[in-house]
Amino acid sequence: MKHLISTAALRRDEAILILDTAEDMAAAQEREVKKLPALRGVTVVNLFYEDSTRTRISFEAAEKRLSADVINFAAKGSSVSKGESLKDTAQTLHAIGADAVVIRHPATGAPQMLADRGWIDAPILNAGDGCHEHPTQALLDAFTLRRRLHGAASRGKGLDGAHVVIVGDILHSRVARSNVWLLTTLGARVTLVGPPTLLPAHLSGWPAETGYDLDAALAEGPDAVMLLRIQAERMHDAFFPHTREYARMWGLTEARLRALPESTSIMHPGPMNRGLEIASAAADSPRSTVLEQVANGVSVRMAALYLLCSGVKEGR
Ligand code: CP
C-alpha cells in the first residue's frame, strides 16, 4: 500500500492491519507522554482545498503525535486564488521537500491524479475528494463500531455479521461510498436509506441493500445507524420539498431513537444538522458515538500515516 485513496481498493487484511495499528496508537495516547518518534524528520503537507474541522485538525494532531514536521496549506489565501494549478502546487510541494501529502479537494479524483501523475513522489492520503471517497472517515467509523461490538477483544477482528443502516444524502456522500466498501469488506451488511432523489440512480454495483422506508430498516434492530449530513453546498436542485418533511421521513427523531434497541450505536461523521437528519436527543444520547468517532480519528490517522510514511526516510 503506497497511498490511501479509496476504501474500494483496500483488502480485508490491509483494513484490519490499519485498525489494529490504530489500537496500538490509541494505547500510546493513554500514556503520559503521547508523542512517538516514528515520523521524526518526515515532512507532511496538509493540502486543504475545501473547508474542514475534524479531518484537518485530527490529521494535524496525528502528524504531530508521530513527531512529523507539519505544513498546513489552505487554498483560501494561497496562490490557488491566482489560478495556480494542482500540478504546479504539487511541484512546489515537491521542491520544498514534502515527504507525504494529505489532500482534501472538491474534485473527484484529485488525490488519484496526484498519486498517478508523478508530479510528486510521496504517499498521498485522501482526506475527502468531491462526492467520491473519504477513506480515513470510513476507517475511523469501522474502528469505532468494532470497539463498540467487540470491546477489548477487537484486535484482528472484522465486522462480520454486523448490520449498519446508512441514512440520508447518499447521492452526494463520500462518507457513504467509503463506508459501503469498507464495511462490506469487513463482513458487515449495509442498508442504504433515503429519499429516492438522494439515492444514486445506478446502485447496481454497490454491495448494499437500498430502501426508502427508514422505519422498516430500523425495525430490524441494526447494530448501528449512521446519519449523513444533508450537504446543501453540493445541492443545486430541490431534492426534497421541505426540511420539516425530510426530518419527519428520514431524520433520527426522538421517537425513532426510543424505538431502537439500547445496543444500537448512533453514528454521524459530522458536522451535524441538528433537528434535520438527527435530533439533539439522539446526537447527545449515551448511544451516540459522534465524539468517540472524532477522538478515534486521531488514532486511525496516526496508523495510516505510520504505515504509509515510516519507510520514506529509508527511501530517500
Ligand atoms: N467528517 C468530516 O469530514 O468532517 P470535516 O469536514 O469537519 O473534516
Side-chain angles (χ1 to χ4, degrees):
M1 202 175 29
K2 176 160 186 204
H3 308 287
L4 180 57
I5 307 287
S6 124
T7 56
L10 272 185
R11 296 193 314 262
R12 181 182 167 102
D13 62 317
E14 290 173 329
I16 288 178
L17 174 65
I18 297 172
L19 300 185
D20 287 353
T21 307
E23 286 290 351
D24 297 335
M25 296 300 173
Q29 298 314 295
E30 304 283 303
R31 297 205 288 254
E32 200 179 332
V33 180
K34 296 186 183 357
K35 220 166 164 128
L36 302 171
L39 297 188
R40 190 172 287 153
V42 173
T43 301
V44 183
V45 177
N46 298 317
L47 192 55
F48 276 71
Y49 286 83
E50 254 189 9
D51 295 343
S52 168
T53 298
R54 280 146 286 272
T55 312
R56 188 173 54 78
I57 290 173
S58 76
F59 260 116
E60 187 174 344
E63 290 149 9
K64 288 181 171 167
R65 287 186 193 170
L66 291 169
S67 307
D69 296 318
V70 180
I71 298 175
N72 288 315
F73 171 102
K76 275 181 202 151
S78 76
S79 288
V80 170
S81 59
K82 300 173 197 161
E84 188 161 45
S85 67
L86 181 60
K87 174 182 175 177
D88 288 332
T89 303
Q91 288 180 329
T92 302
L93 299 181
H94 182 63
I96 62 168
D99 294 308
V101 177
V102 174
I103 177 170
R104 169 169 287 194
H105 201 285
T108 288
Q112 189 72 57
M113 196 182 276
L114 269 193
D116 291 347
R117 295 288 170 95
W119 301 326
I120 180 165
D121 181 20
I124 308 296
L125 292 95
N126 181 4
D129 61 327
C131 300
H132 177 227
E133 283 234 26
H134 192 351
T136 56
Q137 178 68 46
L139 284 159
L140 73 88
D141 292 339
F143 180 88
T144 304
L145 184 57
R146 192 175 78 150
R147 274 193 159 187
R148 281 263 171 151
L149 294 176
H150 301 298
S154 289
R155 224 173 267 273
K157 291 203 170 73
L159 294 169
D160 301 286
H163 181 207
V164 181
V165 176
I166 304 180
V167 190
D169 182 2
I170 312 289
L171 182 66
H172 299 101
S173 179
R174 54 196 178 203
V175 174
R177 277 168 186 73
S178 285
N179 263 298
V180 165
W181 295 114
L182 183 64
L183 289 168
T184 52
T185 295
L186 291 171
R189 176 184 152 219
V190 179
T191 305
L192 303 173
V193 180
T197 47
L198 288 175
L199 286 172
H202 304 291
L203 279 163
S204 54
W206 293 40
E209 299 153 31
T210 55
Y212 309 129
D213 185 343
L214 178 57
D215 292 311
L218 297 187
E220 290 193 47
D223 296 288
V225 185
M226 186 182 295
L227 292 315
L228 300 173
R229 183 172 69 87
I230 292 295
Q231 300 192 41
E233 75 278 16
R234 298 192 205 276
M235 291 186 185
H236 306 296
D237 291 308
F239 286 89
F240 45 85
H242 195 277
T243 50
R244 266 198 310 276
E245 173 78 355
Y246 182 89
R248 189 175 66 78
M249 299 282 286
W250 293 286
L252 187 60
T253 57
E254 201 168 343
R256 287 193 174 109
L257 175 72
R258 279 198 300 270
L260 278 172
E262 281 297 324
S263 57
T264 302
S265 295
I266 311 296
M267 308 184 77
H268 194 303
M272 296 183 278
N273 295 305
R274 286 174 182 257
L276 180 52
E277 70 262 3
I278 186 166
S280 280
D284 300 330
S285 85
R287 283 181 266 173
S288 165
T289 62
V290 172
L291 294 177
E292 253 170 78
Q293 288 167 264
V294 176
N296 291 338
V298 177
S299 306
V300 166
R301 290 176 174 123
M302 285 175 79
L305 286 159
Y306 171 74
L307 291 167
L308 291 174
C309 306
S310 53
V312 300
K313 277 187 286 183
E314 290 78 30
R316 271 194 210 123

